[in-house]
Amino acid sequence: EPEVTQTPSHQVTQMGQEVILRCVPISNHLYFYWYRQILGQKVEFLVSFYNNEISEKSEIFDDQFSVERPDGSNFTLKIRSTKLEDSAMYFCASTLGSTGANVLTFGAGSRLTVL
Amino acid sequence: AQSVTQLGSHVSVSEGALVLLRCNYSSSVPPYLFWYVQYPNQGLQLLLKYTSAATLVKGINGFEAEFKKSETSFHLTKPSAHMRDAAEYFCAVSSPQGAQKLVFGQGTRLTINP
């Protein structure tokens, strides 16, 4: 069964450093998403991406965050200058279409720890 | 605005017993509702979804959920728990206009006692 693959599974970084989290969505999917879960809190929507541009973003997704699809397979989330409160599990997801019949397929997540 | 409340952050049942995980939602538009499961070190896997068709929805692994508009609920049930059902379960809501922008509950950790 096709999978969404995320790397790294766990990254530890110092506050102020840049971090790039990588995702390989399912190959024929066209819509891509990032969600995050701070420990003990709810899974939250960050951003959706289609046709090489952001289609929607939450208020969490401020200027320190960016997303990119640098080639035909990867989808990345960059945090320019990490803060302690960025420590969370980040989930990538993808879908073939945007209607309700299209269900998100999630990756296993990348755990980011900011010290 | 939409929101989800899952009653009980931890639920423990005996193997073979009924599983009931509670989810209540709030939505100003007709909702789409989902249950996801997360096993250790794995991603969020869809168990089942409600998208305005039949109110009783059957999912994988013997789980089902019933959409009750009058109670704004979408509780997850399974008649007989197995050890392999031990996991974290998340209820989520979205709308037809934003079907992939999910609003999640805080999750319920299900423990199965032998």
Side-chain angles (χ1 to χ4, degrees):
Chain A
E1 187 172 331
E3 291 183 342
V4 173
T5 305
Q6 291 187 241
T7 55
S9 57
H10 189 192
Q11 182 161 355
V12 181
T13 190
Q14 295 291 323
M15 189 169 56
Q17 295 297 304
E18 177 182 282
V19 163
I20 297 176
L21 305 179
R22 292 182 168 79
C23 170
V24 179
I26 293 174
S27 61
N28 64 336
H29 282 187
L30 301 175
Y31 295 78
F32 313 110
Y33 311 84
W34 285 100
Y35 283 75
R36 80 171 184 188
Q37 184 183 28
I38 295 172
L39 187 63
Q41 299 186 23
K42 299 182 179 184
V43 178
E44 305 170 290
F45 168 81
L46 287 179
V47 66
S48 59
F49 189 87
Y50 169 71
N51 199 27
N52 282 321
E53 61 182 28
I54 292 173
S55 45
E56 189 170 1
K57 61 183 181 179
S58 73
E59 61 273 12
I60 302 168
F61 195 87
D62 61 23
D63 290 345
Q64 71 161 343
F65 291 94
S66 62
V67 289
E68 190 178 34
R69 188 156 164 82
D71 53 42
S73 60
N74 289 285
F75 178 52
T76 62
L77 174 69
K78 181 191 290 187
I79 309 174
R80 290 190 182 83
S81 178
T82 51
K83 304 172 188 173
L84 295 176
E85 54 265 37
D86 294 327
S87 295
M89 179 73 89
Y90 289 82
F91 293 103
C92 176
S94 67
T95 60
L96 179 60
S98 63
T99 65
N102 291 277
V103 176
L104 291 167
T105 300
F106 284 89
S110 292
R111 181 169 297 284
L112 175 65
T113 301
V114 182
L115 303 176
Chain B
Q2 297 178 305
S3 66
V4 170
T5 301
Q6 291 182 238
L7 297 175
S9 58
H10 290 87
V11 170
S12 181
V13 302
S14 299
E15 191 173 17
L18 171 72
V19 175
L20 171 61
L21 303 183
R22 298 178 186 275
C23 172
N24 287 89
Y25 70 91
S26 173
S27 179
S28 57
V29 299
Y32 284 0
L33 292 157
F34 307 82
W35 275 100
Y36 280 85
V37 60
Q38 186 179 29
Y39 299 103
N41 301 315
Q42 295 187 29
L44 297 164
Q45 179 183 2
L46 182 70
L47 272 179
L48 48 80
K49 65 177 182 178
Y50 166 78
T51 56
S52 73
T55 57
L56 182 62
V57 181
K58 295 187 184 299
I60 62 172
N61 301 339
F63 284 93
E64 64 181 38
E66 186 172 8
F67 171 67
K68 292 187 177 180
K69 183 179 179 180
S70 61
E71 299 178 8
T72 61
S73 68
F74 191 59
H75 301 330
L76 182 71
T77 60
K78 181 174 180 176
S80 176
H82 291 270
M83 296 299 293
R84 63 177 177 265
D85 295 327
E88 185 103 19
Y89 291 79
F90 295 91
C91 182
V93 64
S94 72
S95 67
Q97 295 76 23
Q100 284 72 42
K101 184 182 176 184
L102 301 177
V103 175
F104 283 86
Q106 71 272 31
T108 298
R109 182 166 299 279
L110 177 64
T111 301
I112 312 296
N113 302 314

